[in-house]
Amino acid sequence: MSESSQKIKFYNGEDIPLELHKVRVVQKLHLVTIERRLEALRESGFNTFRLDTKDVFLDMLTDSGTNAMSDRQMGAMMMADDAYAGSQSFVRYQKAVEEVLGKKYLLPVHQGRAAENIISNAFVRKGSVVPMNYHFTTAMAHITQYGGRIEELLYDEAYVIRSQHPFKGNMNLEKLEACVKKHGPANIPFIRMEASTNLIGGQPFSIENLRGVRAIAEKYGIRLVLDASLLGENAWLVKQREEEFKEKSMAEIIKTMTGLADLVYFSARKLSSSRGGGICTNDEKTFKELEPLIPLFEGFLTYGGMSVREIEAIAVGLYETLDESMICQSPAFIEYLVNALDSKGIPVVTPPGVLGCHVDAMSICSHIPQKEYPAGAFAAAFYLISGVRGMERGSVSNQRDEYGNETYADMELLRLAIPRRVFTLSQIKYVEDRMTWLYDNRQLIGGLRFVYEPPVLRFFMGGLEPIDDWAEKLVEKFKQDFGDSL
Ligand code: F0G
């Protein structure tokens, strides 16, 4: 049986996520003063995406491109084969995809959304409907860009913030079949399943559910596309939570999942490295349909917009996703933080998922109407009082409908990402401490309004401002309570 920190018991009975790695390269961090943090927020339009890292203490914006690299990945990067065409680095990438994901045809892309662009370009037409468990921002943007629309078909329990349901990312099979019958298979270019469903709090689906989706896809002759960006963690949670797979290896679980999909794509920034992506399949016809788009949008077929060094790191990283002691590290820290906050009555998405701890801004800031973006305000407030940068995952991250109306998000969350093997437990305890203070002072937080709103993916570069002087009041209270502490 392979090792995992969750199998190591402490004599004192405490539940501590023990690190099974040592830190060999470090980067110095700075915690700037609260006055500077307020200034930085003003300069960045109260949008944490626009902050400079020089003003950020713990960067919990995302795990994308920020997971720690292993010594073996860094070593492999030095051995890369520089070539425009026919690089042996790509051959190693293909071999890793075949061995780990079980797919023999591989198309390289520069990151996950590039795969979404290629797949949408090839299959989505005006009037297409793409059913999915839940959207991811970039997946939806590409599908709508090509004239399609999405239908989200989760079970109701997925929207319950505090829940014990082990697989909130499951597709509602009855709704899926009804959707196929309503629109007709000819109008459905593919069904999309997202591993560790990002926007509902990093919640996994079960293999039993994926098998159900596969059966419907087969019955109606529709392609099943798997977004595998967070596949490793979904597989890890399957091993923890799904009876049939308790004794199976990560390799078996991952291959079972990818084996049920016709087409698998991923952001390697999340799955296995810090850059890149890929699309893979065992179906030669599908491969041939997508192949001509790679040189058009990405680069030659053996690099796809990536450097060969990145390709080597992805290949090694793919094998490392099979290592339980590596893959469990982020979910174990997330579980620790979620349980710590939950035990203090601070509303967080449960059960603990992957990617990060998701704090429920909708209920914490219930005094802020959704049109004043409670999750955006909460993200800005948390940065202000802690220097910790999280990400708004609520209505700011939604896009307006075709008539320009706001579409309010089902959940207003602050996501505090915990990339793999990056933070220490005392840093996690600092987050817990500052979050507790902000929760106790939540009434001081006010709303935001847009002053600059880009038409597509507005959350990235949009600028907002506080509705009144709530940020100053929060600074005042912080100084009363913490004196000259940063
Ligand atoms: N699919 C999922 C499930 C993702 O989480 C992401 C990115 C993508 C696709 C797009 O990949 O960034 O390489 O183009 N998620 C990042 C995040 C951005 O912060 O959650 P990409």
Side-chain angles (χ1 to χ4, degrees), residues 121 291-299:
N121 180 309
E291 194 182 27
L293 297 172
I294 302 296
L296 191 61
F297 290 109
E298 299 299 298

Side-chain angles (χ1 to χ4, degrees), residues 103 105 189-191 213-214 217-218 221-226 257-265 279-284 286-287 290:
K103 302 289 185 203
Y105 299 110
F190 58 90
I191 297 167
V213 175
R214 171 84 218 166
E218 247 169 50
I222 304 171
R223 248 181 237 106
L224 177 53
V225 174
L226 174 65
M257 293 167 92
T258 54
L260 290 164
D262 300 295
L263 197 61
V264 174
Y265 77 86
I279 307 173
C280 56
T281 179
N282 279 331
D283 180 38
E284 194 182 354
T286 304
F287 172 72
L290 300 177

